[in-house]
Amino acid sequence: MWNAIDVNGNGILSLAEIDKGMRDVIRLPILFDLKPVLMRAYMAAKIKCPSKKGTKKKSYNEDDYVSKKEFRWLLKYLRVYYELWVAFDRIDKDGDKRVSYNEFCMAIPELERWNIDMSDPKAQFKAADKDGGGMILFIEFCDWGIKRNLDLDDDDDDDNDNE
């Protein structure tokens, strides 16, 4: 899979290569179409194994790309951010790619099923709306959801691995 996505064989993946790889190699067109998910996974994965200082300089900054060591992290983050996208999309009822306080409150039952303590919705909204703009953006939702271990109740992960 790595070799098929690293088409130029330089040992690193750019966002463009990953984008194309979703469509042509991994064949998940839904991820190819969800640029915010790809971007978040790419940004998280490319810093997992920072290049060591003092190594031979290259004509590019390796930390701006996903290395082979970071590839498995990229796949994991694609899964994580896709799940967060599904949750975000369910809450964003008007489809404007932002969650208002009203939409957030309407989603309280779902958020509680996803393991979020919603006993104080105003505080949770404020915590999610990091920039204070009055709307929760996808990147803000991701940071907030990850910190709270948001877990969709109807996804395909096996929460009962130990049974």
Side-chain angles (χ1 to χ4, degrees), residues 90-91 93 99 101-122 124-125 144:
R90 287 181 187 174
I91 295 170
K93 297 296 186 193
V99 172
Y101 181 69
N102 187 45
E103 288 171 318
F104 191 75
C105 287
M106 288 188 322
I108 288 173
E110 282 182 297
L111 289 163
E112 288 174 337
R113 277 196 313 275
W114 301 337
N115 299 322
I116 305 294
D117 174 12
M118 292 303 293
S119 58
D120 188 350
K122 281 185 182 178
Q124 288 288 18
F125 185 85
W144 175 82

Side-chain angles (χ1 to χ4, degrees), residues 4-113:
I5 296 173
D6 183 19
V7 292
N8 59 9
N10 66 353
I12 55 172
L13 299 178
S14 68
L15 181 57
E17 287 174 307
I18 293 165
D19 188 45
K20 187 176 181 311
M22 286 303 111
R23 185 190 66 207
D24 300 345
V25 178
I26 297 176
R27 295 189 181 162
L28 287 174
I30 195 161
L31 284 179
F32 177 76
D33 292 337
L34 291 176
K35 303 306 184 206
V37 171
L38 283 175
M39 178 58 79
R40 297 277 53 86
Y42 171 75
M43 297 300 285
K46 73 183 183 121
I47 60 170
K48 269 321 251 188
C49 302
S51 61
K52 294 179 177 44
K53 295 188 186 228
T55 58
K56 186 177 176 184
K57 287 189 176 185
K58 304 215 173 165
S59 60
Y60 53 83
N61 184 349
E62 288 181 6
D63 293 338
D64 290 337
Y65 301 90
V66 172
S67 69
K68 194 168 188 176
K69 290 189 293 188
E70 294 164 328
F71 186 62
R72 71 178 184 88
W73 288 103
L74 174 70
L75 297 174
K76 174 184 163 90
Y77 287 135
L78 284 168
R79 166 71 172 81
V80 168
Y81 287 107
Y82 180 69
E83 181 173 353
L84 289 165
W85 178 265
V86 170
F88 181 81
D89 191 53
R90 287 181 187 174
I91 295 170
D92 178 25
K93 297 296 186 193
D94 65 7
D96 67 351
K97 307 296 185 251
R98 305 176 305 164
V99 172
S100 67
Y101 181 69
N102 187 45
E103 288 171 318
F104 191 75
C105 287
M106 288 188 322
I108 288 173
E110 282 182 297
L111 289 163
E112 288 174 337
R113 277 196 313 275

